[in-house]
């Protein structure tokens, strides 16, 4: 009982703390959100894959899983807590099922293999943390009346995914966690024989089936008096239900009667072979999905290249919801099907602020790498170019310097055009592609100054003041 | 407060001020404060300089009365840091709000018409103003700007002005002095462009004359020019390599033309402006204030 209360309290608090950052825009809550995001298992794996060593948080999670079972799924995972919450309202009678490995691992395997092959869309759809984070980001934009345009399309996709999982949790408890979730799949591999697990005492059990009715994972085999610990999420619901004290959280003991029947072993062998075949088949299929679009989207500074970004982003939209200028917007097919919902910089809705590096600080997968503000200010993510056929000073002969006023580096500057009329020009060497000019340009519907993406970001030289140190009596009155 | 009540109160205040001055034991007006055209303060933090400067003008009580509404117009065009000198110093904005509330103001508003809405956590002025208890209305849309007639305007017959500038009891203009690519220098007069909605049209309608004309609509109760950090080139935003100096100055005046003339003199010394700034002469021609520095009574204070 104590276990259970502890679990419900802690998981509830973690979920609330995580969600608060999306709606209460205070530093404390936002940093709490991104801190919890940094614990998340799958994003942490992605962020450490490129650096080559595993972060402590993942090792801790794996060790805990081997020792104590899938506690992570019941405590830390926000989607797990969301499912448990909706599970309260489920009135359906639960039935034990014993899925083959093929059913359990096909989708996580394909998602993970696709991810390795640089298609992150399927991970984005199935990864639990990203699902919750993304949905909350849309809920926030709904509250702020910004739920329109492209946000609407991707928002509907995110909503469908969330609803599907909630409905599934009403019908089948934690079915999602054991059939779709890549994190669940990885953790289940480590929890076939955990040191501590919810185990059944065969002598005490009378096969009444009461425990099964409270089992979210539907993993208690009442007939054979076994609990499938690889699917058990360690919620401890069943222990309180048993009238005969037949279920306990206990240490692993080898018993003679724990042999599986040979039939089960044969189907498992077949499943493993099928999974291997499937895994091999994903390779040619992944090549088909890599579509190329003509205009490349612009990715935030710190993501190095479109390649690095699309390969590492799980579309959790934490950056979208915390971007102060709202320049980060979810994409639909701008990155191809492979990059469904991954964020991009949309200069129609904002610009990348020169004095901001929030996304560099919060990205849990390091698709946007951490950068200091001064480093970020010297990274060029795109190049501005002026279409002189529609730019006001060139085309109409009247004054306009909207782009020049906004440029933070002086890349867009004014030159003397006809009759001394100032007209803008771009200095490519110092353009960082922040989009302040494109955002400010009053020409419609097509802007006269447009930033094109750099597929690979480059460094520009830090600028020095051009003005000589004039007088040293600046603190004296001139009158 | 409706208009009639406002006029009544104004009349009463004037009579009261007149009577107290007649008897020479004035609580409202300090001895020589009426004679001061511009207060020039230097060598302190923005808030300390404001405290010293406003004291020389008889304190904020001279301008803000109990239960009045106050609208502040700082320059908050960019989400920038104070050291970049593109926007009014947040420390100064905060102190002015505090002083207004201390003088009994009912409500303090902060407005500016932004080029790009950046009313977010990156905008330090919006943040500090909210913390100090003011209502920030820098993200207002066109519905908050009302069409008004400009009496005596040459190029501007009418303009769309923010309703708070029209309706508030006290209007405090608090620009930052800096270089401006289009108008040479931006200070108190140029700052008033940010109280209008149709400011983009001004650029095509003779910018200098429009700046002078718009100041005909409502003269600020008080002008506070922030020259703590000053952007000397690449204005209004400033480039990453633009030179910013730190002269630690502040000019306060009820005369918008005088404070701009003083700022211009100072800006010339710093090498920001060469020659004349046309809109100051145009505002002078509208009889909005003094322009000849030699005839002004400038009170210099070193904190």
């Amino acid at each position: 009982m104590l276990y259970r209360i502890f679990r419900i309290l802690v998981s509830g608090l973690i979920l609330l703390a995580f969600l608060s950052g999306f709606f209460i825009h205070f530093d404390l809550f936002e940093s709490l959100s991104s801190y919890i995001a940094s614990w998340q298992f799958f994003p942490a794996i992605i962020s450490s894959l490129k650096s080559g060593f595993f972060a402590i948080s993942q090792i801790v999670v794996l060790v805990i899983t081997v020792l104590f079972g899938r506690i992570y799924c019941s405590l830390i995972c926000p989607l797990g807590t969301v499912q448990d919450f909706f599970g309260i309202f489920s009135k359906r009678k639960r039935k034990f099922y014993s899925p083959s490995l093929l059913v359990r691992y096909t989708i996580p395997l394909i998602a993970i293999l696709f991810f390795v092959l640089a298609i992150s869309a399927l991970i984005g759809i199935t990864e639990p943390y990203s699902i919750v984070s993304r949905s909350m980001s849309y809920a926030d934009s709904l509250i702020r009346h910004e739920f329109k345009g492209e946000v609407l399309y991707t928002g509907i996709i995110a909503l469908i995914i969330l609803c599907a999982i909630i409905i599934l949790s009403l019908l089948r408890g934690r079915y999602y966690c054991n059939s779709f979730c890549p994190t669940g799949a990885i953790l289940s591999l480590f929890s076939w024989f955990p040191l501590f697990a919810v185990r059944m005492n065969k002598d005490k059990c009378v096969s009444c089936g009461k425990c099964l009715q409270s089992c979210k994972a539907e993993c208690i085999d009442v007939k054979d008096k076994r609990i499938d610990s690889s699917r058990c999420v360690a919620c401890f619901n069943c222990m309180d239900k048993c009238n005969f004290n037949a279920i306990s959280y206990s240490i692993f003991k080898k018993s003679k009667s724990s042999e599986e029947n040979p039939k089960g072993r044969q189907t498992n062998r077949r499943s493993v072979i099928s999974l291997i075949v499937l895994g091999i088949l994903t390779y040619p299929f992944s090549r088909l999905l890599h579509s190329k679009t003509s205009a490349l989207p612009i990715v935030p500074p710190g993501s190095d290249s479109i390649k690095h970004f699309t390969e590492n982003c799980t579309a959790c939209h934490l950056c979208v919801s915390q971007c102060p200028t709202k320049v980060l917007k979810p994409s639909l097919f701008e990155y191809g099907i492979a990059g469904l919902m991954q964020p991009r910089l949309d200069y129609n809705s904002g610009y990348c602020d020169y004095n901001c590096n929030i996304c560099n600080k919060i990205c849990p997968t390091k698709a946007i790498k951490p950068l200091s503000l001064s480093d970020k200010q010297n990274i060029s993510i795109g190049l501005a170019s002026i279409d002189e056929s529609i730019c006001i000073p060139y085309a109409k002969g009247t004054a306009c310097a909207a782009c020049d006023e906004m440029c933070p580096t002086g890349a867009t500057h004014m030159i003397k055009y006809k009759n001394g009329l100032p007209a803008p020009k771009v200095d490519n060497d110092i353009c960082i592609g922040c989009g302040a000019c494109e955002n400010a340009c009053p020409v419609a519907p097509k802007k006269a100054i447009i930033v094109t993406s750099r597929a690979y970001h480059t460094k520009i030289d830090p600028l020095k003041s051009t003005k000589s140190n004039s007088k040293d009596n600046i603190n004296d009155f001139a009158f | 407060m409706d208009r009639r009540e406002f006029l009544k109160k104004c009349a009463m205040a004037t009579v009261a001020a007149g009577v107290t001055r007649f008897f020479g034991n004035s609580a409202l007006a300090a001895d020589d404060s009426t004679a001061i055209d511009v207060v020039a303060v230097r060598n302190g933090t923005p808030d300390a300089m404001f405290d010293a400067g406003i004291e020389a003008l008889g304190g904020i009580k001279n301008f803000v009365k109990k239960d009045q509404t106050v609208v502040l117009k700082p320059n908050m065009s960019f989400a920038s840091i104070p050291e970049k000198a593109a926007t009014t110093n947040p420390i100064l904005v905060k102190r002015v709000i505090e002083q207004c509330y201390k003088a009994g103001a009912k409500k303090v508003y902060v407005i500016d018409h932004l080029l790009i809405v950046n009313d977010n956590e990156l905008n330090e002025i919006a943040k500090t103003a909210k913390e100090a208890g003011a209502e920030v209305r820098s993200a207002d849309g066109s519905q908050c700007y009302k069409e008004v007639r400009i009496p005596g305007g040459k190029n501007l017959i009418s303009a769309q002005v923010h309703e708070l500038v029209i309706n508030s009891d006290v209007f405090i203009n608090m620009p930052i002095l800096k270089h401006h690519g289009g108008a040479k220098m931006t200070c108190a007069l140029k700052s008033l462009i940010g109280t209008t909605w149709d400011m983009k049209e001004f650029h095509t309608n003779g910018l200098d004359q429009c700046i002078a004309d718009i100041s005909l609509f409502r003269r600020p109760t008080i002008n506070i020019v922030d020259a703590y950090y000053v952007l000397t080139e690449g204005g209004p935003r400033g480039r990453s390599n633009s030179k910013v100096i730190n002269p630690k100055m502040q000019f306060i005046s009820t005369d918008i033309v005088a404070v701009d003339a003083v700022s211009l003199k100072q800006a010339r010394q710093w090498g920001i402006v060469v020659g004349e700034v046309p809109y100051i002469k145009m505002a002078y021609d509208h009889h909005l204030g003094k322009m000849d520095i030699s005839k002004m009574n400038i009170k210099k204070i070193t904190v």
Side-chain angles (χ1 to χ4, degrees), chain A residues 118-252:
Chain A
I119 296 175
S120 27
L122 207 54
I123 282 287
I125 291 172
T126 54
E127 203 276 312
Y129 150 74
S130 302
I131 289 170
V132 176
S133 170
R134 191 191 309 129
S135 309
M136 290 310 114
S137 164
Y138 287 116
D140 182 42
S141 65
L142 191 67
I143 292 169
R144 293 157 157 249
H145 304 286
E146 286 162 2
F147 198 62
K148 51 201 166 204
E150 276 175 26
V151 180
L152 187 72
Y153 295 118
T154 47
I156 288 170
I157 298 176
L159 192 75
I160 290 172
I161 295 168
L162 185 70
C163 285
I165 289 167
I166 288 174
I167 291 169
L168 206 57
S169 77
L170 286 172
L171 296 178
R172 299 292 301 269
R174 292 287 198 111
Y175 190 82
Y176 155 84
C177 306
N178 284 320
S179 311
F180 297 106
C181 176
T183 308
I186 293 173
L187 293 183
S188 76
L189 292 179
F190 285 85
S191 63
W192 281 104
F193 299 107
L195 190 64
F196 284 91
V198 180
R199 290 201 169 88
M200 212 176 235
N201 187 330
K202 290 195 175 178
D203 305 327
K204 286 185 184 170
C205 174
V206 294
S207 295
C208 69
K210 231 180 155 184
C211 52
L212 178 60
Q213 290 316 310
S214 68
C215 181
K216 291 182 284 203
E218 301 184 321
C219 67
I220 305 175
D221 185 354
V222 180
K223 249 195 210 154
D224 281 2
K225 304 181 180 178
R226 276 180 54 249
I227 295 175
D228 182 353
S229 59
S230 73
R231 281 189 290 140
C232 171
V233 292
C235 70
F236 309 128
N237 281 354
C238 51
M239 279 154 60
D240 302 331
K241 288 277 154 21
C242 185
N243 295 337
F244 304 93
N245 271 336
I247 302 174
S248 60
Y249 189 61
S250 55
I251 197 158
F252 178 71

Side-chain angles (χ1 to χ4, degrees), chain B residues 241-254:
Chain B
N241 62 340
S242 291
K243 198 182 161 206
V244 174
I245 55 173
N246 185 9
K248 301 183 186 170
M249 284 188 196
Q250 198 175 106
F251 310 128
I252 307 174
S253 173
T254 52

Side-chain angles (χ1 to χ4, degrees), chain B residues 7 55 83 105 111 119 150 164 203 214 224 238 248 261 299:
Chain B
L7 288 173
E55 202 51 48
E83 290 77 17
I111 61 152
D119 183 18
I150 307 293
L164 285 169
H203 287 84
I214 193 68
I224 307 161
K248 301 183 186 170
K299 175 142 176 106

Side-chain angles (χ1 to χ4, degrees), chain A residues 261-287:
Chain A
N261 51 5
K263 201 185 158 202
R265 201 176 277 170
Q266 205 178 5
T267 50
N268 274 355
R269 196 180 298 141
R270 267 185 217 147
S271 294
V272 171
I273 292 168
S274 317
L275 284 171
I276 291 170
V277 172
L278 247 168
I280 294 167
L281 279 176
T282 50
Y283 180 74
F285 195 63
S286 75
R287 295 293 99 185

Side-chain angles (χ1 to χ4, degrees), chain B residues 73 111-114 145-146 148 150 156 158-162 165 191-202 210 214-215 217:
Chain B
K73 198 276 165 201
I111 61 152
D112 193 6
H113 181 180
L114 305 179
Y145 292 80
K146 303 278 179 283
V148 293
I150 307 293
L156 284 184
S158 68
Q160 289 156 311
V161 175
H162 198 285
V165 174
S191 166
L192 298 182
I193 296 280
T195 64
T196 65
W197 178 255
D198 39 1
M199 57 182 191
K200 276 202 171 152
E201 289 162 32
F202 291 12
C210 286
I214 193 68
S215 27
F217 173 67

Side-chain angles (χ1 to χ4, degrees), chain A residues 18-87:
Chain A
F18 178 61
L19 299 189
S20 65
F22 289 89
F23 301 103
I24 310 169
H25 293 272
F26 280 129
D27 290 353
L28 172 72
F29 292 109
E30 291 190 343
S31 55
L32 206 59
S33 268
S34 35
Y35 184 60
I36 292 169
S38 71
W39 296 349
Q40 297 299 324
F41 187 69
F42 211 84
I45 288 191
I46 298 169
S47 78
S48 62
L49 268 183
K50 295 288 148 93
S51 58
F53 61 89
F54 276 82
I56 295 169
S57 72
Q58 296 134 261
I59 294 170
V60 168
V61 169
L62 286 181
V63 168
I64 286 179
T65 309
V66 171
L67 294 180
F68 304 107
R70 288 166 62 178
I71 287 179
Y72 175 92
C73 300
S74 274
L75 275 188
I76 316 257
C77 178
L79 191 58
T81 314
V82 169
Q83 288 181 82
D84 288 354
F85 175 74
F86 284 99

Side-chain angles (χ1 to χ4, degrees), chain A residues 363-401:
Chain A
C363 180
T365 69
K366 306 248 188 325
I368 311 170
K369 291 179 182 170
L371 278 182
S372 74
L373 187 58
S374 57
D375 284 342
K376 177 253 171 186
Q377 288 175 337
N378 292 323
I379 282 180
S380 172
I381 59 172
L383 276 181
S385 59
I386 294 167
D387 184 350
E388 293 185 8
S389 67
I390 51 175
C391 177
I392 294 172
Y394 293 105
K396 284 171 74 183
T398 56
C400 176

